[in-house]
Amino acid sequence: MKSVKVCILGDFAVGKTSLVRRFVDEAFSERYLTTVGVKIDTKTVHPEGAEPIKLVLWDVAGADELSALQTSYVRGSAGFILVCDLTRRETLTTATKLKSEVAAQFGPVPWCLFANKNDLTEEREIDDMALSELTEDGWIVHTTSAKTGFNVESAVLALASRLSIDAGRSP
């Protein structure tokens, strides 16, 4: 079975750890604990039409730009997930910046954006139009909620399908 490293990147408090916990453990906690450095979890998935693949999920501490340490965490990743918080517009700006930094450092790597906290409709600052514009620019955008579980599993599986195709091509 192939094992692939996937980094989860985004600003502080966008829900990276909660998304990983929802995906790996099917759980959610209201308690906020900041990630220090990196937290690593694994889960084997079975993408449709592909061999099982073990995802090694690197939940990288939140930042608005990549530090040298975070760059070392991203090195060797088969793919990455950017996360923004739909209730904080500036987190989408951060995600855009992080995407550019990763592309400049590592070239084309499969990735997608999780627009998280979809359950907080009243507080939402990033609208569907902004997400549609990203999609028109070639971004793969998944609206998610770590709290309710909305679209989390299917979004990770969509990236895993892309990664399993790439992993199958590697020597």
Side-chain angles (χ1 to χ4, degrees):
M1 173 182 347
K2 290 280 186 175
S3 180
V4 297
K5 176 180 175 182
V6 176
C7 283
I8 296 89
L9 305 171
D11 214 332
F12 299 94
V14 294
K16 297 178 300 295
T17 300
S18 293
L19 285 163
V20 171
R21 184 154 190 242
R22 169 61 70 186
F23 178 68
V24 173
D25 301 325
E26 298 180 18
F28 177 81
S29 173
E30 292 282 352
R31 207 171 89 197
Y32 176 72
L33 295 172
T34 189
T35 301
V36 177
V38 66
K39 183 179 181 301
I40 301 170
D41 284 288
T42 63
K43 183 172 180 176
T44 299
V45 297
H46 304 270
E48 192 174 325
E51 293 293 319
I53 186 170
K54 181 179 180 180
L55 299 178
V56 182
L57 303 166
W58 288 51
D59 174 11
V60 179
D64 59 1
E65 62 183 41
L66 286 180
S67 68
L69 183 59
Q70 289 165 321
T71 299
S72 71
Y73 293 149
V74 176
R75 186 169 289 110
S77 292
F80 64 99
I81 298 169
L82 293 169
V83 182
C84 72
D85 175 345
L86 288 168
T87 69
R88 295 170 31 225
R89 179 168 293 283
E90 69 276 7
T91 65
L92 183 55
T93 303
T94 297
T96 302
K97 184 177 179 182
L98 290 170
K99 177 197 169 292
S100 296
E101 290 177 5
V102 170
Q105 295 257 353
F106 302 104
V109 177
W111 64 278
C112 59
L113 174 71
F114 285 18
N116 196 36
K117 302 187 184 181
N118 185 55
D119 55 295
L120 300 175
T121 54
E122 295 298 316
E123 295 89 6
R124 197 166 167 175
E125 291 182 3
I126 302 170
D127 60 16
D128 289 334
M129 178 70 93
L131 299 178
S132 293
E133 289 172 6
L134 291 173
T135 302
E136 289 171 12
D137 287 341
W139 287 49
I140 297 173
V141 178
H142 301 279
T143 304
T144 61
S145 170
K147 183 175 185 174
T148 67
F150 175 76
N151 210 24
V152 175
E153 177 126 352
S154 61
V156 176
L157 286 175
L159 180 61
S161 291
R162 292 173 51 211
L163 297 176
S164 68
I165 290 168
D166 287 350
R169 292 184 188 143
S170 63

